[in-house]
mmCIF file with all atom_site columns, all heavy atoms in Angstrom:
data_model
loop_
_atom_site.group_PDB
_atom_site.id
_atom_site.type_symbol
_atom_site.label_atom_id
_atom_site.label_alt_id
_atom_site.label_comp_id
_atom_site.label_asym_id
_atom_site.label_entity_id
_atom_site.label_seq_id
_atom_site.pdbx_PDB_ins_code
_atom_site.Cartn_x
_atom_site.Cartn_y
_atom_site.Cartn_z
_atom_site.occupancy
_atom_site.B_iso_or_equiv
_atom_site.pdbx_formal_charge
_atom_site.auth_seq_id
_atom_site.auth_comp_id
_atom_site.auth_asym_id
_atom_site.auth_atom_id
_atom_site.pdbx_PDB_model_num
ATOM 1   N N   . ASN M 1 49 ? 17.946 15.947 -17.431 1.00 98.00 ? 49 ASN M N   1
ATOM 2   C CA  . ASN M 1 49 ? 17.177 17.145 -17.104 1.00 98.00 ? 49 ASN M CA  1
ATOM 3   C C   . ASN M 1 49 ? 15.704 16.802 -17.298 1.00 98.00 ? 49 ASN M C   1
ATOM 4   O O   . ASN M 1 49 ? 15.274 16.552 -18.419 1.00 98.00 ? 49 ASN M O   1
ATOM 5   C CB  . ASN M 1 49 ? 17.603 18.300 -18.023 1.00 98.00 ? 49 ASN M CB  1
ATOM 6   C CG  . ASN M 1 49 ? 16.937 19.608 -17.703 1.00 98.00 ? 49 ASN M CG  1
ATOM 7   O OD1 . ASN M 1 49 ? 16.258 19.752 -16.705 1.00 98.00 ? 49 ASN M OD1 1
ATOM 8   N ND2 . ASN M 1 49 ? 17.136 20.588 -18.576 1.00 98.00 ? 49 ASN M ND2 1
ATOM 9   N N   . CYS M 1 50 ? 14.947 16.761 -16.206 1.00 96.00 ? 50 CYS M N   1
ATOM 10  C CA  . CYS M 1 50 ? 13.530 16.400 -16.269 1.00 96.00 ? 50 CYS M CA  1
ATOM 11  C C   . CYS M 1 50 ? 12.698 17.672 -16.336 1.00 96.00 ? 50 CYS M C   1
ATOM 12  O O   . CYS M 1 50 ? 12.815 18.543 -15.480 1.00 96.00 ? 50 CYS M O   1
ATOM 13  C CB  . CYS M 1 50 ? 13.138 15.577 -15.051 1.00 96.00 ? 50 CYS M CB  1
ATOM 14  S SG  . CYS M 1 50 ? 14.103 14.065 -14.887 1.00 96.00 ? 50 CYS M SG  1
ATOM 15  N N   . VAL M 1 51 ? 11.830 17.765 -17.355 1.00 96.00 ? 51 VAL M N   1
ATOM 16  C CA  . VAL M 1 51 ? 11.095 18.992 -17.636 1.00 96.00 ? 51 VAL M CA  1
ATOM 17  C C   . VAL M 1 51 ? 9.602  18.699 -17.722 1.00 96.00 ? 51 VAL M C   1
ATOM 18  O O   . VAL M 1 51 ? 9.183  17.751 -18.399 1.00 96.00 ? 51 VAL M O   1
ATOM 19  C CB  . VAL M 1 51 ? 11.594 19.630 -18.953 1.00 96.00 ? 51 VAL M CB  1
ATOM 20  C CG1 . VAL M 1 51 ? 10.859 20.937 -19.231 1.00 96.00 ? 51 VAL M CG1 1
ATOM 21  C CG2 . VAL M 1 51 ? 13.104 19.858 -18.896 1.00 96.00 ? 51 VAL M CG2 1
ATOM 22  N N   . ASN M 1 52 ? 8.814  19.540 -17.064 1.00 94.00 ? 52 ASN M N   1
ATOM 23  C CA  . ASN M 1 52 ? 7.357  19.415 -17.063 1.00 94.00 ? 52 ASN M CA  1
ATOM 24  C C   . ASN M 1 52 ? 6.828  19.543 -18.490 1.00 94.00 ? 52 ASN M C   1
ATOM 25  O O   . ASN M 1 52 ? 7.105  20.523 -19.181 1.00 94.00 ? 52 ASN M O   1
ATOM 26  C CB  . ASN M 1 52 ? 6.751  20.497 -16.158 1.00 94.00 ? 52 ASN M CB  1
ATOM 27  C CG  . ASN M 1 52 ? 5.283  20.279 -15.893 1.00 94.00 ? 52 ASN M CG  1
ATOM 28  O OD1 . ASN M 1 52 ? 4.527  19.922 -16.786 1.00 94.00 ? 52 ASN M OD1 1
ATOM 29  N ND2 . ASN M 1 52 ? 4.888  20.492 -14.665 1.00 94.00 ? 52 ASN M ND2 1
ATOM 30  N N   . GLN M 1 53 ? 6.038  18.562 -18.915 1.00 95.00 ? 53 GLN M N   1
ATOM 31  C CA  . GLN M 1 53 ? 5.544  18.520 -20.285 1.00 95.00 ? 53 GLN M CA  1
ATOM 32  C C   . GLN M 1 53 ? 4.547  19.634 -20.609 1.00 95.00 ? 53 GLN M C   1
ATOM 33  O O   . GLN M 1 53 ? 4.347  19.959 -21.776 1.00 95.00 ? 53 GLN M O   1
ATOM 34  C CB  . GLN M 1 53 ? 4.902  17.162 -20.570 1.00 95.00 ? 53 GLN M CB  1
ATOM 35  C CG  . GLN M 1 53 ? 5.896  16.039 -20.560 1.00 95.00 ? 53 GLN M CG  1
ATOM 36  C CD  . GLN M 1 53 ? 5.250  14.670 -20.628 1.00 95.00 ? 53 GLN M CD  1
ATOM 37  O OE1 . GLN M 1 53 ? 4.048  14.532 -20.737 1.00 95.00 ? 53 GLN M OE1 1
ATOM 38  N NE2 . GLN M 1 53 ? 6.080  13.632 -20.558 1.00 95.00 ? 53 GLN M NE2 1
ATOM 39  N N   . SER M 1 54 ? 3.953  20.248 -19.595 1.00 93.00 ? 54 SER M N   1
ATOM 40  C CA  . SER M 1 54 ? 2.959  21.292 -19.863 1.00 93.00 ? 54 SER M CA  1
ATOM 41  C C   . SER M 1 54 ? 3.587  22.676 -20.035 1.00 93.00 ? 54 SER M C   1
ATOM 42  O O   . SER M 1 54 ? 2.889  23.638 -20.344 1.00 93.00 ? 54 SER M O   1
ATOM 43  C CB  . SER M 1 54 ? 1.918  21.338 -18.735 1.00 93.00 ? 54 SER M CB  1
ATOM 44  O OG  . SER M 1 54 ? 2.515  21.782 -17.531 1.00 93.00 ? 54 SER M OG  1
ATOM 45  N N   . SER M 1 55 ? 4.903  22.781 -19.876 1.00 91.00 ? 55 SER M N   1
ATOM 46  C CA  . SER M 1 55 ? 5.551  24.095 -19.966 1.00 91.00 ? 55 SER M CA  1
ATOM 47  C C   . SER M 1 55 ? 5.891  24.451 -21.410 1.00 91.00 ? 55 SER M C   1
ATOM 48  O O   . SER M 1 55 ? 6.174  23.583 -22.238 1.00 91.00 ? 55 SER M O   1
ATOM 49  C CB  . SER M 1 55 ? 6.822  24.121 -19.109 1.00 91.00 ? 55 SER M CB  1
ATOM 50  O OG  . SER M 1 55 ? 7.847  23.389 -19.737 1.00 91.00 ? 55 SER M OG  1
ATOM 51  N N   . GLY M 1 56 ? 5.890  25.747 -21.691 1.00 91.00 ? 56 GLY M N   1
ATOM 52  C CA  . GLY M 1 56 ? 6.302  26.219 -23.003 1.00 91.00 ? 56 GLY M CA  1
ATOM 53  C C   . GLY M 1 56 ? 7.760  25.903 -23.275 1.00 91.00 ? 56 GLY M C   1
ATOM 54  O O   . GLY M 1 56 ? 8.157  25.654 -24.418 1.00 91.00 ? 56 GLY M O   1
ATOM 55  N N   . SER M 1 57 ? 8.582  25.912 -22.215 1.00 93.00 ? 57 SER M N   1
ATOM 56  C CA  . SER M 1 57 ? 10.002 25.599 -22.378 1.00 93.00 ? 57 SER M CA  1
ATOM 57  C C   . SER M 1 57 ? 10.208 24.157 -22.818 1.00 93.00 ? 57 SER M C   1
ATOM 58  O O   . SER M 1 57 ? 11.152 23.857 -23.549 1.00 93.00 ? 57 SER M O   1
ATOM 59  C CB  . SER M 1 57 ? 10.752 25.862 -21.070 1.00 93.00 ? 57 SER M CB  1
ATOM 60  O OG  . SER M 1 57 ? 10.788 27.241 -20.804 1.00 93.00 ? 57 SER M OG  1
ATOM 61  N N   . HIS M 1 58 ? 9.324  23.265 -22.380 1.00 95.00 ? 58 HIS M N   1
ATOM 62  C CA  . HIS M 1 58 ? 9.405  21.866 -22.800 1.00 95.00 ? 58 HIS M CA  1
ATOM 63  C C   . HIS M 1 58 ? 9.298  21.788 -24.317 1.00 95.00 ? 58 HIS M C   1
ATOM 64  O O   . HIS M 1 58 ? 10.100 21.114 -24.975 1.00 95.00 ? 58 HIS M O   1
ATOM 65  C CB  . HIS M 1 58 ? 8.291  21.052 -22.138 1.00 95.00 ? 58 HIS M CB  1
ATOM 66  C CG  . HIS M 1 58 ? 8.284  19.609 -22.526 1.00 95.00 ? 58 HIS M CG  1
ATOM 67  N ND1 . HIS M 1 58 ? 7.686  19.157 -23.683 1.00 95.00 ? 58 HIS M ND1 1
ATOM 68  C CD2 . HIS M 1 58 ? 8.805  18.513 -21.920 1.00 95.00 ? 58 HIS M CD2 1
ATOM 69  C CE1 . HIS M 1 58 ? 7.832  17.850 -23.763 1.00 95.00 ? 58 HIS M CE1 1
ATOM 70  N NE2 . HIS M 1 58 ? 8.512  17.432 -22.712 1.00 95.00 ? 58 HIS M NE2 1
ATOM 71  N N   . ALA M 1 59 ? 8.324  22.495 -24.879 1.00 95.00 ? 59 ALA M N   1
ATOM 72  C CA  . ALA M 1 59 ? 8.130  22.490 -26.334 1.00 95.00 ? 59 ALA M CA  1
ATOM 73  C C   . ALA M 1 59 ? 9.354  23.066 -27.045 1.00 95.00 ? 59 ALA M C   1
ATOM 74  O O   . ALA M 1 59 ? 9.783  22.544 -28.076 1.00 95.00 ? 59 ALA M O   1
ATOM 75  C CB  . ALA M 1 59 ? 6.875  23.269 -26.696 1.00 95.00 ? 59 ALA M CB  1
ATOM 76  N N   . MET M 1 60 ? 9.923  24.139 -26.485 1.00 95.00 ? 60 MET M N   1
ATOM 77  C CA  . MET M 1 60 ? 11.108 24.754 -27.088 1.00 95.00 ? 60 MET M CA  1
ATOM 78  C C   . MET M 1 60 ? 12.296 23.803 -27.056 1.00 95.00 ? 60 MET M C   1
ATOM 79  O O   . MET M 1 60 ? 13.010 23.648 -28.060 1.00 95.00 ? 60 MET M O   1
ATOM 80  C CB  . MET M 1 60 ? 11.454 26.050 -26.352 1.00 95.00 ? 60 MET M CB  1
ATOM 81  C CG  . MET M 1 60 ? 10.435 27.150 -26.534 1.00 95.00 ? 60 MET M CG  1
ATOM 82  S SD  . MET M 1 60 ? 10.783 28.600 -25.504 1.00 95.00 ? 60 MET M SD  1
ATOM 83  C CE  . MET M 1 60 ? 12.184 29.295 -26.393 1.00 95.00 ? 60 MET M CE  1
ATOM 84  N N   . LEU M 1 61 ? 12.502 23.140 -25.921 1.00 96.00 ? 61 LEU M N   1
ATOM 85  C CA  . LEU M 1 61 ? 13.617 22.207 -25.770 1.00 96.00 ? 61 LEU M CA  1
ATOM 86  C C   . LEU M 1 61 ? 13.452 21.021 -26.717 1.00 96.00 ? 61 LEU M C   1
ATOM 87  O O   . LEU M 1 61 ? 14.397 20.605 -27.385 1.00 96.00 ? 61 LEU M O   1
ATOM 88  C CB  . LEU M 1 61 ? 13.691 21.751 -24.312 1.00 96.00 ? 61 LEU M CB  1
ATOM 89  C CG  . LEU M 1 61 ? 14.999 21.174 -23.805 1.00 96.00 ? 61 LEU M CG  1
ATOM 90  C CD1 . LEU M 1 61 ? 15.030 21.227 -22.282 1.00 96.00 ? 61 LEU M CD1 1
ATOM 91  C CD2 . LEU M 1 61 ? 15.258 19.797 -24.290 1.00 96.00 ? 61 LEU M CD2 1
ATOM 92  N N   . LYS M 1 62 ? 12.243 20.532 -26.797 1.00 96.00 ? 62 LYS M N   1
ATOM 93  C CA  . LYS M 1 62 ? 11.970 19.385 -27.663 1.00 96.00 ? 62 LYS M CA  1
ATOM 94  C C   . LYS M 1 62 ? 12.203 19.743 -29.136 1.00 96.00 ? 62 LYS M C   1
ATOM 95  O O   . LYS M 1 62 ? 12.762 18.953 -29.889 1.00 96.00 ? 62 LYS M O   1
ATOM 96  C CB  . LYS M 1 62 ? 10.536 18.904 -27.442 1.00 96.00 ? 62 LYS M CB  1
ATOM 97  C CG  . LYS M 1 62 ? 10.216 17.588 -28.089 1.00 96.00 ? 62 LYS M CG  1
ATOM 98  C CD  . LYS M 1 62 ? 8.849  17.095 -27.657 1.00 96.00 ? 62 LYS M CD  1
ATOM 99  C CE  . LYS M 1 62 ? 8.516  15.789 -28.330 1.00 96.00 ? 62 LYS M CE  1
ATOM 100 N NZ  . LYS M 1 62 ? 7.212  15.278 -27.928 1.00 96.00 ? 62 LYS M NZ  1
ATOM 101 N N   . ALA M 1 63 ? 11.803 20.946 -29.524 1.00 97.00 ? 63 ALA M N   1
ATOM 102 C CA  . ALA M 1 63 ? 11.950 21.373 -30.920 1.00 97.00 ? 63 ALA M CA  1
ATOM 103 C C   . ALA M 1 63 ? 13.407 21.641 -31.297 1.00 97.00 ? 63 ALA M C   1
ATOM 104 O O   . ALA M 1 63 ? 13.849 21.276 -32.385 1.00 97.00 ? 63 ALA M O   1
ATOM 105 C CB  . ALA M 1 63 ? 11.105 22.625 -31.178 1.00 97.00 ? 63 ALA M CB  1
ATOM 106 N N   . SER M 1 64 ? 14.166 22.257 -30.388 1.00 97.00 ? 64 SER M N   1
ATOM 107 C CA  . SER M 1 64 ? 15.537 22.654 -30.717 1.00 97.00 ? 64 SER M CA  1
ATOM 108 C C   . SER M 1 64 ? 16.565 21.561 -30.441 1.00 97.00 ? 64 SER M C   1
ATOM 109 O O   . SER M 1 64 ? 17.603 21.496 -31.090 1.00 97.00 ? 64 SER M O   1
ATOM 110 C CB  . SER M 1 64 ? 15.930 23.904 -29.934 1.00 97.00 ? 64 SER M CB  1
ATOM 111 O OG  . SER M 1 64 ? 16.080 23.605 -28.557 1.00 97.00 ? 64 SER M OG  1
#
Side-chain angles (χ1 to χ4, degrees):
N49 184 9
C50 301
V51 182
N52 191 318
Q53 293 171 3
S54 67
S55 74
S57 292
H58 179 277
M60 293 174 74
L61 200 161
K62 190 172 179 179
S64 70

